[in-house]
Amino acid sequence: MTGLKSVYQGVCETSVRNGVVAPGTWNTAVPFGDPETFKKNIEEKGYYIYSIPVSQQAQVEREARKAPLVQIAVKTAGAIHSTNVMIYVNL
């Protein structure tokens, strides 16, 4: 999970450098993860990445080598008001 989340963080950092994502105030309900960490990350970085620990994942999913769901929240810099993203992974 550390490897996957590092890649996602790299994409978020690139989005910050390119001016698409920016630190700010989240103005809707916090939908996932720890609320304080969520708020701090959005205010300081402009994004928040969360997944449950593998230890909390169902045993059958661990045995099937399925990664836990990763959720990412980003605060846009204002130029884009909405977007949909779909990621396909081939193993």
Side-chain angles (χ1 to χ4, degrees):
M1 286 308 300
T2 301
L4 285 175
K5 288 167 78 173
S6 291
V7 171
Y8 302 147
Q9 182 177 0
V11 171
C12 290
E13 289 293 329
T14 299
S15 296
V16 171
R17 282 193 304 275
N18 290 338
V20 175
V21 172
T25 302
W26 195 260
N27 52 17
T28 59
V30 177
F32 55 86
D34 175 62
E36 290 302 315
T37 305
F38 183 103
K39 181 180 175 184
K40 179 181 176 190
N41 276 262
I42 294 295
E43 288 175 352
E44 293 179 1
K45 298 178 180 181
Y47 63 90
Y48 175 63
I49 302 170
Y50 175 79
S51 68
I52 64 167
V54 173
S55 63
Q56 292 180 12
Q57 188 180 29
Q59 182 66 31
V60 68
E61 290 185 354
R62 286 196 306 267
E63 289 173 1
R65 300 179 57 88
K66 292 182 180 178
L69 173 69
V70 177
Q71 296 171 282
I72 303 172
V74 298
K75 182 72 176 172
T76 64
I80 298 171
H81 295 276
S82 69
T83 183
N84 293 315
V85 177
M86 186 175 292
I87 300 172
Y88 293 94
V89 178
N90 187 302
L91 303 175

